[in-house]
Amino acid sequence: MKVLVISGFLGAGKTTFIKQMIKATNREYVIFENEFGDVSIDGEILKKSVNQDKTENEEINVWELSSGCACCSTKADFMSSLLVIDNTLNPDFLIVEPSGIALLSNILNNVKKIGYERIELLAPITVIDAQTYFKYKSKYAEVFLDQIRVSTHIQLSKTENLSDDEMELIADDIKTINNTANIYIADYHKADTDYWNSLFSGELVKPDSDEIKLVKSKMKNVTFKDANIRDMRAALFFLDKIIFNYYGEINRGKGVFKTPDYNIHFDLVDKNYSMYFSQEEAENSVVFIGPEIDKELLIKELEEMGEIII
């Protein structure tokens, strides 16, 4: 079993990258998903997006740890889970997507410590949100720089609004941190099979066809289940208050609000957010992460929004 660790800071686009990788390579994977928070949002996204083009009997396996980080307080569970996955599912590839605020170097060290000849660790990949690169590099240097230093491959994401000069500036800055990494600035959504094969050193695509450290001193998380809201206008007002720091400084938010008529899915990174609507069943849970959150106020307003439509 080949283990591929795909890291990236909060909101970098790891899940989107994995979804595109699966679509482009047409290979089978097991994904080991680890969230920082009590609600695992990305695991559900991966399950649905990967399975939407498969039959009922071809579901991909998503293993999750939502209490702490994969190699931190639950280190033994993480290491034993790798062995269980190998011995029971025996996949060609295990994709490990760690929490965005985990030290990549410690994750790699803990995989290496397993010392099991059937498990091979591939060169790690880090996905970087180009729009927040300089801000997060300065604000969360301990984790952010570690992810860059120990990665073999670095892929820029969310570059659609940046000029070539701006992307080159980021790439040049990355080289001052890790001058041996392969840096990719082109949009991977448009890449062909050769790109994926070169990115993963020919392993991912067939030619033919001490403990992980969380930045708890800087990061807090607030999770809320059974999140209900009146309508889209109320959701927009709520998200606008977040980006204007009404509840404190929140860098990342994701989840699903339920209205009487439809679900509102939102994804917030720094000062930007996106939304879409759906009618299908979805777990209406939300999670917010940031260095300074007024948890009492945030929970109070989430509860009040739900009471309005009950």
Side-chain angles (χ1 to χ4, degrees), residues 242-262:
I242 289 179
I243 66 175
F244 283 105
N245 295 340
Y246 180 76
Y247 306 104
E249 185 174 356
I250 296 176
N251 300 132
R252 187 77 169 105
K254 182 182 286 188
V256 179
F257 281 112
K258 184 176 182 180
T259 79
D261 302 311
Y262 51 86

Side-chain angles (χ1 to χ4, degrees), residues 22 28-33 43 46-47 50-51 54 57-64 85 88-91 93-95:
I22 293 169
E28 295 294 329
Y29 310 90
V30 170
I31 300 170
F32 192 72
E33 169 72 30
L46 280 169
K47 287 178 184 177
V50 172
N51 292 328
K54 295 176 178 290
N57 296 322
E58 296 178 319
E59 291 188 352
I60 196 164
N61 297 283
V62 180
W63 291 59
E64 299 172 312
I85 292 171
T88 58
L89 301 176
N90 192 28
F93 298 100
L94 171 66
I95 309 302

Side-chain angles (χ1 to χ4, degrees), residues 53 123 139 176 191 234:
D53 296 324
K139 195 172 184 66
T176 66

Side-chain angles (χ1 to χ4, degrees), residues 155-187:
Q155 172 69 58
L156 296 189
S157 68
K158 306 181 184 180
T159 59
E160 57 272 11
N161 295 321
L162 299 181
S163 67
D164 290 343
D165 288 343
E166 288 173 316
M167 289 189 286
E168 288 294 343
L169 180 65
I170 294 172
D172 289 342
D173 193 77
I174 291 173
K175 290 175 185 176
T176 66
I177 304 167
N178 182 347
N179 63 5
T180 63
N182 300 311
I183 303 171
Y184 305 88
I185 62 177
D187 184 357

Side-chain angles (χ1 to χ4, degrees), residues 40-58:
S40 180
I41 302 295
D42 286 343
E44 290 302 315
I45 292 175
L46 280 169
K47 287 178 184 177
K48 290 179 181 178
S49 64
V50 172
N51 292 328
Q52 62 186 1
D53 296 324
K54 295 176 178 290
T55 67
E56 292 182 0
N57 296 322
E58 296 178 319

Side-chain angles (χ1 to χ4, degrees), residues 134-153:
F134 287 106
K135 176 180 179 178
Y136 285 178
K137 174 195 169 189
S138 173
K139 195 172 184 66
Y140 307 113
E142 185 174 18
V143 169
F144 198 84
L145 296 181
D146 179 81
Q147 293 177 351
I148 293 175
R149 286 192 187 104
V150 300
S151 286
T152 302
H153 306 290

